[in-house]
Amino acid sequence: MAQSQYLTGDASAINAFLDKFDVFLIDCDGVLWSGDHVFDGVAETLEMLRSRGKKTVFVTNNSTKSRPEYHKKFESMGIPSDVEEIFGSAYSSAIYISRILKLPPPQNKVFVLGEAGIENELRTEGIRFIGGTDPSLRRDITPEDWKGIADGSLLDPEVGVVLAGLDWHINYLKLSHAYQYLRRGAIFLATNVDPTFPMNHNFFPGAGSIGAAPLANMTGQKPVALGKPSQAMMDAIEGKFMLNRERTCMIGDRLDTDIKFGIEGKLGGTLAVLTGVSKRADWEAKDAAAVPAFYVDRLSDLRAAER
Ligand SMILES: O=C(O)[C@H](O)[C@H](O)COP(=O)(O)O
Ligand SMILES: [Mg+2]
């Protein structure tokens, strides 16, 4: 079983770690913040990395915000960032649909299960969509819905993709529409399939549990997921930032997304932080999803290198 090196409190080990890499791919939920609470020392740690000539790229599976919306969140939390440094699963999904799938019209519309972040990234890529934050779907199902969904009169024949993400307003009506589109042959995509969502120092239902999993259960199909650990996302990041994978390290709080993403992406290293989902026991377990090369208690422990 691979060993993970503990760095907290060891300035020389942290310096050796930092010297190995030029680029840090940094997860958000559970690493920088928990909901609206920024972990101590995050802004100073990013400043330290940048002052040592390191490039920082923020790679999040959270599809509720677009890159510009995330940039605003960073600013509101006093974390210096550039919108070009942000790479979310909503963006990853939008470029997959527009540049890889490239479905011919008319059947190239997307039915969205998710929030504005997905809609804004689809719009940026010129992709037509329905569903999502449409207020007319935020209600109980009615006899007219049962009839119209069953006979197709309430369905849009131009839908060719169902994209499932983190949806704070999931309900029976939306799931029924999404299910019917999949039954009619629409392509099944997910921004990500994280089962849980770290928020306010606790855990809530994740994107994978509220959208993708119920639909997978109904259809027997597995969605193509475009967030971490998807290597389609890694390839897109490599292309955008011209990564030297050997000199790149993935920092994250979750083994089955962040750490697996770095390992399967053949990056030079992975660093786990213990402020989010995964704990040391998780990667010491026989059936560990992945084992990080290094770990710290919290991101700001890297500042020990300054002293
Ligand atoms: O349910 C989700 O979508 C995830 O828990 C959440 O998005 C994780 O975000 P990340 O840790 O990748 O920033
Ligand atoms: Mg995370």
Side-chain angles (χ1 to χ4, degrees):
M1 163 83 76
Q3 293 301 312
S4 185
Q5 183 183 349
Y6 184 49
L7 299 177
T8 295
D10 186 340
S12 64
I14 291 174
N15 273 307
F17 163 79
L18 293 175
D19 290 345
K20 283 167 61 73
F21 307 112
D22 304 325
V23 180
F24 291 92
L25 307 183
I26 307 172
D27 175 50
C28 299
D29 294 314
V31 173
L32 304 179
W33 52 59
S34 184
D36 292 332
H37 169 80
V38 183
F39 296 122
D40 294 346
V42 161
E44 296 79 359
T45 306
L46 296 173
E47 215 53 50
M48 178 272 289
L49 291 173
R50 290 162 179 157
S51 69
R52 290 175 73 135
K54 310 299 181 184
K55 179 156 190 50
T56 53
V57 179
F58 302 103
V59 183
T60 179
N61 268 2
N62 190 322
S63 64
T64 60
K65 288 183 174 61
S66 64
R67 290 157 298 152
E69 289 159 341
Y70 261 114
H71 188 225
K72 280 205 198 85
K73 175 168 181 168
F74 276 85
E75 282 191 335
S76 70
M77 292 177 142
I79 303 175
S81 76
D82 181 305
V83 69
E84 288 307 317
E85 289 180 307
I86 301 167
F87 205 104
S89 65
Y91 176 57
S92 180
S93 304
I95 57 176
Y96 178 81
I97 294 168
S98 65
R99 304 177 199 180
I100 310 287
L101 275 189
K102 288 194 268 200
L103 292 177
Q107 212 175 5
N108 60 355
K109 213 182 265 183
V110 177
F111 181 83
V112 174
L113 275 182
E115 301 294 334
I118 295 176
E119 297 178 334
N120 292 332
E121 293 291 8
L122 291 177
R123 210 176 272 120
T124 308
E125 288 290 312
I127 300 164
R128 302 176 305 147
F129 63 86
I130 58 171
T133 61
D134 177 351
S136 74
L137 293 176
R138 292 184 178 178
R139 58 179 177 77
D140 294 346
I141 193 165
T142 64
E144 292 72 34
D145 293 317
W146 294 111
K147 181 176 174 314
I149 293 171
D151 65 21
S153 58
L154 279 179
L155 300 178
D156 183 331
E158 297 186 351
V159 169
V161 174
V162 168
L163 176 60
L166 191 53
D167 189 331
W168 311 129
H169 305 88
I170 196 72
N171 63 24
Y172 194 87
L173 180 58
K174 282 184 181 180
L175 284 169
S176 301
H177 277 268
Y179 176 41
Q180 286 305 325
Y181 286 122
L182 292 173
R183 281 170 59 78
R184 291 164 160 245
I187 295 167
F188 186 14
L189 302 180
T191 57
N192 62 306
V193 289
D194 300 45
T196 59
F197 174 56
M199 175 75 157
N200 291 359
H201 312 290
N202 205 323
F203 299 100
F204 293 80
S209 300
I210 54 175
L215 291 171
N217 198 32
M218 291 175 227
T219 60
Q221 294 174 40
K222 228 166 149 280
V224 172
L226 285 310
K228 299 167 287 184
S230 153
Q231 291 308 307
M233 190 181 204
M234 182 67 83
D235 296 345
I237 292 170
E238 180 185 40
K240 175 166 180 167
F241 298 99
M242 315 293 276
L243 287 186
N244 167 350
R245 293 191 187 212
E246 191 46 41
R247 299 286 302 173
T248 301
C249 178
M250 176 72 211
I251 302 177
D253 70 300
R254 204 184 177 109
L255 298 181
D256 57 355
T257 58
D258 307 311
I259 305 305
K260 195 170 176 206
F261 182 62
I263 291 171
E264 292 184 352
K266 299 199 174 10
L267 298 188
T270 53
L271 173 76
V273 300
L274 298 176
T275 45
V277 174
S278 300
K279 301 304 168 212
R280 194 173 135 188
D282 299 326
W283 66 74
E284 290 177 348
K286 277 203 178 46
D287 61 351
V291 180
F294 305 93
Y295 72 103
V296 288
D297 295 338
R298 63 195 64 74
L299 186 69
S300 59
D301 289 349
L302 295 179
R303 297 186 62 202
E306 289 172 308
R307 294 180 206 113

